[in-house]
Structures are given as C-alpha cells and as structure tokens.
C-alpha cells in the first residue's frame, strides 16, 4: 500500500485544488446547515458555488474542517465553533464568515481580525421575536403554566382550591433587566402594559433617552439583584458577563424572585442556579438558553418543578428565521464583493 500523507499535506493539496478551480469559476461557499430557509441559499446560488452539510444536525468538526478547505466564504450557525483550526483549514483565500445568529461568541474574532476575514451576523431582525419569547417564558414561569398543565394529565387536578397553582403577577412588581440594548428595550416595552411598579435596567452606562420611553430607571447590578421580583438576563456574553449570575448573585435575590434568561447560557453559573432553585433561595426560573445545548437528559435542572426550560427558540418565528437566512446570504455576497455588509461585526 502507498504511504498515507500527513493531514496537513492533504489539506494543502485540497486548498490548492480549490484555488485552481476557483480561477475560472464562481466563488465557493460552504453552508453548515441544509435546513436554513432556502430563500437565503437561492441568493447565494445565483452567483456562488454552494455546498452544504447534508444532515439536519450540527456538522461534525472533522467534516467542517475537510469541507471548508479552499472556500471563499463560510455560512455558519451558533453550533459551529469557528476557531484557528477551522480558519487554518479553510486557507488564506477565505474572505468572510457569516453566522445566522445575533451572537458570535462561537467565532474566534481575534483570529478573523488578524487574517482580515470579515464577519457578518443578524442582530436586528430577531429583536421582536426574542422579546416576544422572553415575555412568553416569563408568563409561563410566573403563572406556573407548565406545572399546571402537567396536573391536567397526571390526575393532580381534583377540584378548585383557593391557593392551588397560584403564581406571582407582574402588576405592582419590580422588574430588573441586565442589558438594555435593542432586545432589552423591546422586552421592557412589552412588560410595561402589565403595570409593574418599576422597571430598572443595569448597563455599563445609562441610556436615558431609551429608558424614558418605558419609564425605566438605571441602577447598579447589586441594587437590581436585591430589589427585583423579576430579573431578566438579556445581555451579550462577554468576559464581564460570563457567569455573572453566580452563587453570590442568587444569594442577594429576594426569595420570591423569578429569574429569566434569554441571553446566553454562559451568563449563568448553572450549578449555583440549581442550588438556588432546589433550596427555594429564589422562587423559579425560566431558561431559553443553557450550558451545554442541548441540555443532557440527566441534568439535575430537569428534575425540578420550579424551572421552565425551552430549547433555545428565542428567534423561532417563521418570518424571522427566513429573513435571518437572507441576511446571512447578503452578508456573504457583500463580503465577497468587498462591499459594506448589511450587519458586520466591527473587528
């Protein structure tokens, strides 16, 4: 048998082959999901050679590394870790990476900056969908909808009782938001008609003009923790916010506090959250994001009655997802043409 070539040499041959073919062909794009809305893929197919992972599951890392070789652009999702190894495998001709998400912590931004690779994302289009989901999750958690629904099926619904399945109302409550960007502002706007006593928000600097629209007040993190009946995490995941909701934070919360997270799983120390819920240090939690995703079926959080967990569906509105697909495609086309992207991360 002929000797096997080292992986690095194979990769170089693949990159060379792709470069030779590209000299007389359209730019090439690798798409890591076949189940994104086809309207975005059709935009790409008009002027690009498009290849995709063929299964409706995250592309295996080995497949990503092999298929990205020699490509001019990468269309990826939150489930794809785009790091130095992937960028090395792609080769020096890679011009842009576009993710079908508002978050981009799965992409090594420093490596992209060093290589001059532009990065596109989809920040504005999912604002309303995420705000709607956040409110739905808050109401499902505070009014114990999932707990009550189970009682219908397991025989727990016997008869009317004065305090059975009672939850905490929003009217007259104090609501605190960590983060007050586009999504945070829209969450506040949807909460305001429920007549809370106060809406507060915590950010690095006050945003008085935006806050005035919903009569919100800027407070520091500790004040929000100590005084809020509801706390909503709607911030970006950064080194400063990583596990900001830890044991110390939960200890400062009121015992009736309901914690909602539609930001990123990484802003929460999940073990500390479990302990706070198990010991009734806080009343309940609603999560659309966890660490990891999907959450393992043996995770202790799934054994608790006072937590509602959703499978990261914040932007899962049909029209929103279609437009996210199109924006991702348009970002790639702009990057390939050296034009301004519709939504580009500033490196």
């Amino acid at each position: 048998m002929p000797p096997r070539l080292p992986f690095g040499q194979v990769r170089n041959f693949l990159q060379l082959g792709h470069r030779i073919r590209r000299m007389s062909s359209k730019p090439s794009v690798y798409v890591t999901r076949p189940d994104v809305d086809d309207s975005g893929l059709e935009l790409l197919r008009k002027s690009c050679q498009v290849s995709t992972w063929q299964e409706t599951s995250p592309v295996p890392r080995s497949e990503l590394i092999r298929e990205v070789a020699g490509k001019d652009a990468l269309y990826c999702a939150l489930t794809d870790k785009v790091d130095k190894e992937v960028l090395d495998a792609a080769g020096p001709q890679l011009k842009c990476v576009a993710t079908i998400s508002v978050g981009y912590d799965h992409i090594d931004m420093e490596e992209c900056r060093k290589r001059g690779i532009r990065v596109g994302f989809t920040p504005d289009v999912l604002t309303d969908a995420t705000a709607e989901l956040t409110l739905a999750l808050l109401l499902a958690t505070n009014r114990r909808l999932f707990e009550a629904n189970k009682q219908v099926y397991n025989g727990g619904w016997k008869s009317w009782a004065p305090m059975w399945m009672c939850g905490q109302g929003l009217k007259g409550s104090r609501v605190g938001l960590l983060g007050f960007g586009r999504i945070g502002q829209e969450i506040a706007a949807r909460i305001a008609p429920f007549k809370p006593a106060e809406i507060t928000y915590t950010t690095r600097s006050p945003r008085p003009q935006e806050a005035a629209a919903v009569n919100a007040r800027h407070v520091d993190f500790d004040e929000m923790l100590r005084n809020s009946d509801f706390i909503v995490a709607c911030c970006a995941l950064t080194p400063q916010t990583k596990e900001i909701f830890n044991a110390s934070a939960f200890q400062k919360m009121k015992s009736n506090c309901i914690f909602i997270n539609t930001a990123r799983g990484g802003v929460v120390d999940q073990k500390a959250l479990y302990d706070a819920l198990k010991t009734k240090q806080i009343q309940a939690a609603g999560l659309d994001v966890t660490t990891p995703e999907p959450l393992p079926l043996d995770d202790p959080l799934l054994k608790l009655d006072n937590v509602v967990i959703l499978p990261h569906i914040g932007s899962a509105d049909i029209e929103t997802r279609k437009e996210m697909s199109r924006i991702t495609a348009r970002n790639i086309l702009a990057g390939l043409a050296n034009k301004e992207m519709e939504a580009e991360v500033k490196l």
Side-chain angles (χ1 to χ4, degrees):
M1 289 182 63
R4 297 183 65 182
L5 294 173
F7 172 75
Q9 198 169 342
V10 173
R11 182 189 65 204
N12 292 340
F13 281 140
L14 286 170
Q15 290 174 354
L16 177 61
H18 283 295
R19 285 198 292 272
I20 291 171
R21 286 194 297 273
R22 196 173 59 253
M23 290 173 65
S24 59
S25 63
K26 300 175 180 179
S28 57
V29 181
Y30 184 62
V31 181
T32 64
R33 304 273 323 193
D35 50 352
V36 296
D37 188 71
D38 202 53
S39 59
L41 300 185
E42 281 301 313
L43 289 175
L44 291 175
R45 292 185 185 115
K46 291 176 182 178
S47 55
C48 303
Q49 292 180 338
V50 179
S51 57
T52 66
W53 169 237
Q54 293 301 306
E55 298 182 23
T56 56
S57 58
V59 60
R61 187 163 179 82
S62 59
E63 180 81 7
L64 173 58
I65 288 171
R66 181 171 62 253
E67 292 298 323
V68 78
K71 296 299 189 292
D72 297 293
L74 174 63
Y75 182 130
C76 67
L78 278 171
T79 49
D80 308 313
K81 185 178 181 181
V82 182
D83 57 8
K84 183 179 185 299
E85 184 181 20
V86 171
L87 298 175
D88 283 344
Q93 81 298 321
L94 186 71
K95 295 187 71 172
C96 58
V97 174
T99 180
I100 184 168
S101 61
V102 64
Y104 46 83
D105 46 279
H106 55 297
I107 302 172
D108 189 327
M109 305 307 294
E110 180 58 22
E111 281 294 325
C112 288
R113 185 193 65 78
K114 289 193 298 187
R115 299 164 192 248
I117 297 171
R118 297 169 66 188
V119 178
F121 67 138
T122 61
D124 296 325
V125 65
L126 49 66
T127 297
D128 287 320
T130 304
E132 287 176 5
L133 188 281
T134 303
L135 182 60
L137 179 57
L138 188 154
L139 292 172
T141 305
N142 79 311
R143 292 300 302 270
R144 304 172 66 184
L145 300 190
F146 285 80
E147 283 183 81
N149 179 258
K150 289 177 183 177
Q151 300 302 308
V152 176
Y153 294 93
N154 65 17
W157 184 17
K158 303 297 184 183
S159 64
W160 181 85
M163 300 304 292
W164 187 62
M165 284 293 135
C166 286
Q168 178 172 290
L170 269 170
K171 184 178 180 180
S173 68
R174 286 180 163 76
V175 181
L177 308 175
L178 179 62
F180 202 64
R182 292 176 297 268
I183 292 174
Q185 291 165 37
E186 289 298 329
I187 292 170
R190 285 160 172 76
I191 288 175
F194 286 83
K195 303 176 184 177
E198 184 176 46
I199 298 174
T200 62
Y201 69 99
T202 298
T203 54
R204 283 180 295 183
S205 55
R207 308 188 69 167
Q209 185 173 349
E210 295 88 345
V214 290
N215 197 28
R217 181 171 66 91
H218 184 263
V219 297
D220 64 35
F221 188 53
D222 268 11
E223 182 177 345
M224 184 190 70
L225 292 175
R226 295 183 188 282
N227 294 336
S228 300
D229 302 301
F230 297 87
I231 292 177
V232 181
C234 47
C235 57
L237 176 60
T238 67
Q240 291 73 38
T241 61
K242 182 175 174 58
E243 296 191 354
I244 190 170
F245 290 101
N246 53 25
S248 175
F250 291 120
Q251 286 166 8
K252 294 173 183 175
M253 294 181 189
K254 298 164 69 172
S255 60
N256 70 313
C257 185
I258 292 174
F259 174 70
I260 305 295
N261 184 14
T262 54
R264 285 289 179 272
V267 304
V268 179
D269 177 340
Q270 221 156 260
K271 174 62 166 59
L273 173 60
Y274 170 80
D275 291 340
L277 291 167
K278 179 72 173 177
T279 61
K280 304 296 175 65
Q281 193 172 70
I282 64 172
Q283 183 169 317
L287 311 173
D288 185 46
V289 287
T290 60
T291 303
E293 293 180 357
L295 201 62
L297 293 178
D298 61 352
D299 191 283
L301 278 174
L302 298 178
K303 297 177 172 62
L304 299 177
D305 290 328
N306 57 339
V307 60
V308 175
I309 302 176
L310 302 178
H312 201 156
I313 56 171
S315 65
D317 166 279
I318 293 170
E319 290 305 317
T320 297
R321 289 285 173 87
K322 287 181 177 180
E323 185 60 12
M324 288 170 70
S325 177
R326 292 189 286 266
I327 291 172
T328 306
R330 292 196 292 264
N331 281 339
I332 286 175
L333 293 172
L336 292 172
N338 296 316
K339 295 180 179 179
E340 183 179 353
M341 287 185 177
E342 193 166 324
E344 183 170 357
V345 180
K346 303 304 178 185
L347 300 180

